[in-house]
Amino acid sequence: MLLKVCECLQAMSQRDLKEAFVSNLSGTSLQEVALGSFLTPLCLISRGLILTLYHRARGTLPLPLPLISHLLLDFCVLILPLVLSCTVLSDALRQVILSLGFVSTCVFCYIYRVSSHRSARHPQNPVGTFLQSHVQFDQLPFVTIFRVFVNVKTAISILAVDFSIFPRRYAKTETYGTGVMDFGVGAYVFANALVCPEARGKNISGSKMNHIAKQVLSVWPLVVLGVGRLVSLKMSGYHEHVTEYGVHWNFFFTLAIVRVVASVLLAILPVSRSWVIALLISGFYQFTLETSGLKDFLIHNNDREKGFLHANKEGVFSAVGYVAIYLAGVQVGLYVMQPRSLVRQWLKTLVNLLLGSCVLYTALYTCQTLVEPVSRRLANLSFCLWSVAQSLFFMSCLGMADMALLFSKRTSGCHFIPSSWNLHKKQADSVSDKKTGEIERHCIVQAVSRNQLLFFLLANLMTGLTNSIVDTLVCSSSFSLCVLLSYMFVNCFVIFVLHHWGITVKFW
C-alpha cells in the first residue's frame, strides 16, 4: 500500500514538473518567427534542384528503388532541417538559412547556365517568355504546401516542446508574447479556412437552415476527437497546461466551434466581405477586453472550480479570435482561387499577398504600441493580426519558391519535379503525365496532403505514446534528437505508405 502511494506521488511530481516546464514562458521576437518562414521554401527548392541534377545526369526519374529513395530524400531534405532548426541549430538559424540559400542559388545558376548553353534555340529573353507562359495545376497552387507544412511543423513542435533541446522561447507563451507554437495554432485555423466550401465558392444548396444543420453535423469527427483526447488525458494523468485552453477544453473543440460559427455567419452575411466581418469581430472583442472585466477574468487562474465557464474560459472566449482568423482565411482563399492561367498573373498574386502581410504587420505594430501585445491565451486583436500577417508571409514565400522551381523546370527541361504549377502543354502527353503522376506518388508533401487530419491525429497519438515511454525532461540532446527524428519518420512513413497505395482515410 505504501509502495502504491509512493508511486502515485512520484507520478504526480513528474506530471507537475512537465507542466511547469511548458508554463510561464514569454516567447521570442516577431523577427525570429518571420525568419523561420524562409527555411521551408529553401528546403523545397533544394529538393527540386537535387532531382533536377539527377535527371540531367541520368536522364531519368524517379530515383532507383523509388518507394525507399524518395521517402528518404524527402525526409532528409524537407523534414530533417525543420527538426534541426528548432533543436540543435535553433541558435544558428540565420546562418543555416543563408548557407542553404547561397548553395541553392549557386546550383540554380549552374542549371540555368548549362541549360542555356545546351539549348540551340533558347529564347533571347527567357524571363519575359516565362512570365507570359501558361500554367496548369491539379491542386490549389502553394496553398496545399502551406497547409501541409503547417501540419508538419505542428507535429514536430507538440513533441519537441517536452524536451529540453527545444528552446523555451519557441513554446507557447503563458499570457503575452509570440512563440513559434503560438503562431502554429493561428496558422492551423487559417489553413483550414483557405480550402473551406465558402472559400472555394460553393453555393449553398437548399435553405440556409439546412446548410447550417449540415455544417453542425459535419464537425462530429472533431467533437469525437476532442472528447477522446479529454478522456485519455484524464485517465492517463498526462500533464496539462490548464491556462492553454482550460480544464476540459482542447484544440479539437475550438476547431469545431470555429467551423460552425463561421458557417453560420457566412450563410447570413456576404462571403466576399468576410474580411470586414473578421475585422469587426476582432475589433469588438478587443474593445470588450479593454472596457469590461473580461480580460481580468481570463487572466486570473484561481477560480477554476466555480463552473464550466470558469474552468474553460480560455478555450471558450479565445474562439472569438479564432473565428476572426478563420474569416480572414476565407477571404484570402477566395482571392487565391480566382481563375488565373499566366505566370505573371500568379506572380502578381504572390506580390499582393506579400503586400497584404506588410500592411497587417504595420497594423500589428500599431496595435501592440497603442493597445496591448500579442496574446494567444486571449486571442486578442494583436494575435489575430499577427496570425494572418505571418500566414500570408509564409504562404507568399512558399509561392515564390514554387515559382523558382517552375522556372527551373522550364530551363532544365525536367518537367517531373513536384511543384504547385506545371507548364501548360498544347497536346496531351500520356508518357509525361504518367511520369509526373509517378513522381507525385512518391512525394511526402502529396502524402500528407491526402490525409492531413489523420497525420495530425497520428502525431498526437505518437506524442502521448512517446511521453509515456520516455522521460523527456532528463534526456540528453543526442537522445532527444534521435527520438524526435524517429517519431517524425514513423509519422511520415505511415502517411507515405497510405499515399503510395492510394488510400485516403476519411472520418466523415
Side-chain angles (χ1 to χ4, degrees):
M1 183 65 181
L2 182 60
L3 181 60
K4 288 184 178 181
V5 172
C6 292
E7 290 177 351
C8 184
L9 290 174
Q10 184 179 3
M12 289 179 62
S13 176
Q14 185 71 7
R15 184 179 64 184
D16 292 340
L17 286 173
K18 288 189 174 183
E19 183 178 341
F21 190 60
V22 295
S23 302
N24 302 314
L25 303 174
S26 56
T28 184
S29 65
L30 294 170
Q31 292 79 7
E32 186 171 17
V33 178
L35 179 65
S37 300
F38 292 108
L39 182 59
T40 302
L42 287 172
C43 291
L44 284 168
I45 292 175
S46 300
R47 191 267 301 264
L49 295 177
I50 290 172
L51 291 175
T52 301
L53 289 174
Y54 181 85
H55 180 265
R56 292 196 64 85
R58 299 292 183 179
T60 182
L61 277 177
L63 302 173
L65 301 173
L67 182 61
I68 299 174
S69 58
H70 279 269
L71 173 61
L72 292 178
L73 174 65
D74 281 5
F75 185 82
C76 291
V77 179
L78 300 181
I79 307 298
L80 176 61
L82 299 182
V83 176
L84 295 178
S85 69
C86 66
T87 52
V88 293
L89 297 181
S90 59
D91 292 330
L93 182 59
R94 189 186 304 273
Q95 292 85 339
V96 170
I97 290 174
L98 289 175
S99 301
L100 193 57
F102 176 75
V103 173
S104 298
T105 302
C106 292
V107 175
F108 184 86
C109 292
Y110 167 77
I111 292 174
Y112 175 74
R113 184 177 180 181
V114 171
S115 300
S116 298
H117 280 305
R118 290 187 179 183
S119 176
R121 302 172 62 184
H122 64 276
Q124 296 298 320
N125 186 9
V127 176
T129 304
F130 172 70
L131 293 176
Q132 297 299 324
S133 300
H134 289 263
V135 292
Q136 58 188 19
F137 50 88
D138 296 324
Q139 293 178 309
L140 292 172
F142 60 83
V143 171
T144 297
I145 300 177
F146 172 79
R147 300 181 71 238
V148 165
F149 279 100
V150 166
N151 264 285
V152 169
K153 290 187 175 186
T154 301
I156 295 171
S157 299
I158 58 176
L159 178 60
V161 70
D162 294 323
F163 290 90
S164 58
I165 196 175
F166 187 83
R168 293 300 90 194
R169 66 184 186 276
Y170 285 1
K172 288 179 180 177
T173 56
E174 186 68 23
T175 302
Y176 292 103
T178 51
V180 173
M181 292 186 70
D182 292 321
F183 166 66
V185 178
Y188 198 94
V189 173
F190 186 87
N192 284 343
L194 289 173
V195 295
C196 71
E198 293 85 358
R200 285 180 288 177
K202 289 190 175 182
N203 296 323
I204 297 176
S205 57
S207 68
K208 292 183 178 180
M209 289 303 300
N210 288 336
H211 171 74
I212 293 172
K214 289 180 181 179
Q215 297 307 313
V216 172
L217 292 175
S218 70
V219 300
W220 72 263
L222 294 173
V223 176
V224 171
L225 291 173
V227 172
R229 177 177 173 79
L230 172 62
V231 173
S232 62
L233 285 177
K234 298 305 180 183
M235 291 182 64
S236 64
Y238 190 77
H239 65 280
E240 300 176 76
H241 190 190
V242 174
T243 58
E244 188 174 340
Y245 295 107
V247 178
H248 312 103
W249 203 270
N250 57 58
F251 191 51
F252 290 111
F253 292 142
T254 296
L255 290 176
I257 292 295
V258 168
R259 181 74 189 96
V260 172
V261 173
S263 297
V264 172
L265 291 174
L266 294 174
I268 301 171
L269 302 171
V271 179
S272 60
R273 295 290 181 267
S274 57
W275 71 274
V276 178
I277 308 170
L279 188 59
L280 290 174
I281 290 175
S282 56
F284 179 76
Y285 177 54
Q286 184 66 53
F287 178 78
T288 305
L289 288 173
E290 298 297 326
T291 58
S292 68
L294 180 59
K295 185 188 296 186
D296 291 335
F297 169 70
L298 293 175
I299 291 177
H300 287 106
N301 192 33
N302 54 0
D303 55 357
R304 300 287 177 179
E305 69 285 348
K306 292 184 178 181
F308 179 84
L309 185 61
H310 286 76
N312 303 284
K313 49 191 175 182
E314 292 90 353
V316 173
F317 286 96
S318 66
V320 178
Y322 290 120
V323 168
I325 295 172
Y326 188 94
L327 293 173
V330 171
Q331 187 73 62
V332 175
L334 281 171
Y335 174 69
V336 172
M337 293 185 199
Q338 292 176 9
R340 302 174 182 87
S341 60
L342 296 177
V343 170
R344 61 179 177 82
Q345 292 175 329
W346 281 110
L347 188 59
K348 181 181 178 181
T349 300
L350 294 174
V351 172
N352 287 338
L353 291 177
L354 192 57
L355 289 175
S357 176
C358 293
V359 170
L360 289 173
Y361 262 116
T362 303
L364 170 62
Y365 280 111
T366 303
C367 188
Q368 289 205 113
T369 303
L370 300 179
V371 186
E372 67 174 346
V374 172
S375 174
R376 173 203 47 80
R377 182 175 176 181
L378 303 177
N380 59 0
L381 178 59
S382 295
F383 177 74
C384 296
L385 290 171
W386 176 53
S387 296
V388 179
Q390 178 60 28
S391 294
L392 290 178
F393 181 70
F394 185 35
M395 193 160 59
S396 60
C397 289
L398 292 171
M400 292 295 183
D402 250 2
M403 192 66 72
L405 281 178
L406 184 63
F407 184 74
S408 176
K409 288 163 67 172
R410 179 185 176 86
T411 56
S412 66
C414 182
H415 302 293
F416 314 129
I417 306 302
S419 66
S420 296
W421 297 285
N422 291 306
L423 292 171
H424 182 73
K425 292 172 288 189
K426 296 181 179 179
Q427 295 180 347
D429 187 347
S430 59
V431 177
S432 177
D433 290 342
K434 182 179 179 181
K435 184 73 71 173
T436 301
E438 188 176 0
I439 295 296
E440 290 183 348
R441 195 160 62 96
H442 299 110
C443 175
I444 206 166
V445 175
Q446 296 292 336
V448 177
S449 176
R450 179 190 286 270
N451 289 296
Q452 292 201 44
L453 184 56
L454 178 63
F455 180 80
F456 183 63
L457 178 59
L458 178 63
N460 276 271
L461 292 174
M462 288 293 296
T463 297
L465 178 62
T466 305
N467 269 279
S468 66
I469 297 174
V470 178
D471 187 354
T472 57
L473 295 181
V474 298
C475 294
S476 64
S477 296
S478 56
F479 183 76
S480 300
L481 190 59
C482 290
V483 171
L484 286 171
L485 291 175
S486 301
Y487 152 83
M488 283 305 299
F489 186 80
V490 170
N491 291 336
C492 293
F493 179 77
V494 172
I495 297 297
F496 188 83
V497 170
L498 290 175
H499 176 64
H500 179 75
W501 291 106
I503 299 174
T504 303
V505 180
K506 282 285 187 180
F507 294 91
W508 59 90

